[in-house]
Amino acid sequence: MSLRNLKELTIIAKEAFSKMFLVAKSLCFLHVTNTHVFTVASLYGPSMLPTFNLTGDWALAERFSHKLGKVGAGDIVILKSPVEPRKIMTKRVIGVEGDSVTYVVEPKNSDRTETIVVPKGHIWVEGDNIYNSKDSRNFGAVPYGLLRGKMLWKIWPPKDFGYIGKKEQNS
């Protein structure tokens, strides 16, 4: 092997390492962004009808306001399920710690209501479709630590693209 071939191999190796390092930095940037700043959530299921469709909706969620205590009633959040920890859910915040929440216990069967005060460090969440949603009415108030983000924008389907604002709560 000549010196000339060795120099060419060295140049190729340096360029390959440089490209590999760029790819690694890009992947690290994407990981940090997805974990701590923004994430895209694929939504499915009937619990958030009519806000989201049964299948195929995508939304952009930010991941920092819940860490700063900036989640309030009317916000749509993503959270870990308190009963199935591997499952991520999308629900609307109905009340935060200290709020008094009145809810229909079994909307399919009766109009019986109960009122609770949301405990410290917890939130009360419900799906927009109360007739087909597993939410705080089933498993109680959710610890704040299970929150994973707050929905900002609906990005798919294109006809529904736009900001997801707070829904006014009935008082």
Side-chain angles (χ1 to χ4, degrees):
M1 181 177 255
S2 71
L3 189 59
R4 183 171 177 237
N5 286 343
L6 188 58
K7 284 183 179 180
E8 286 177 8
L9 284 175
T10 305
I11 290 170
I12 291 171
K14 283 182 180 179
E15 189 172 328
F17 182 75
S18 173
K19 300 288 185 196
M20 188 175 64
F21 190 65
L22 179 64
V23 168
K25 286 193 315 189
S26 298
L27 291 174
C28 288
F29 174 78
L30 286 174
H31 171 72
V32 168
T33 301
N34 186 51
T35 304
H36 300 290
V37 185
F38 292 102
T39 191
V40 175
S42 174
L43 309 166
Y44 61 92
S47 73
M48 287 301 291
L49 283 170
T51 306
F52 297 113
N53 298 314
L54 283 172
T55 58
D57 283 3
W58 288 23
L60 182 67
E62 54 89 353
R63 292 187 173 264
F64 47 85
S65 65
H66 71 281
K67 295 174 185 171
L68 302 172
K70 303 285 185 190
V71 173
D75 288 332
I76 297 175
V77 295
I78 54 176
L79 61 143
K80 275 190 166 185
S81 168
V83 286
E84 296 177 57
R86 290 178 170 248
K87 185 177 177 184
I88 300 293
M89 306 166 55
T90 303
K91 302 293 177 195
R92 188 173 302 275
V93 176
I94 303 301
V96 296
E97 64 180 58
D99 287 353
S100 180
V101 176
T102 300
Y103 64 98
V104 179
V105 178
E106 293 180 43
K108 291 181 181 177
N109 301 325
S110 72
D111 291 336
R112 184 172 69 89
T113 61
E114 288 185 11
T115 301
I116 64 122
V117 174
V118 181
K120 183 176 175 103
H122 289 70
I123 59 171
W124 189 269
V125 294
E126 291 182 10
D128 286 353
N129 179 6
I130 65 167
Y131 299 103
N132 200 354
S133 177
K134 289 187 171 75
D135 48 37
S136 288
R137 292 171 296 131
N138 305 101
F139 45 72
V142 176
Y144 214 74
L146 294 181
L147 285 177
R148 293 295 176 257
K150 182 168 86 170
M151 294 293 184
L152 287 181
W153 288 84
K154 193 180 219 184
I155 57 177
W156 192 264
K159 68 178 179 63
D160 295 331
F161 180 84
Y163 178 71
I164 302 171
K166 285 187 177 194
K167 181 178 178 183
E168 292 300 317
Q169 302 297 311
N170 297 332
S171 302

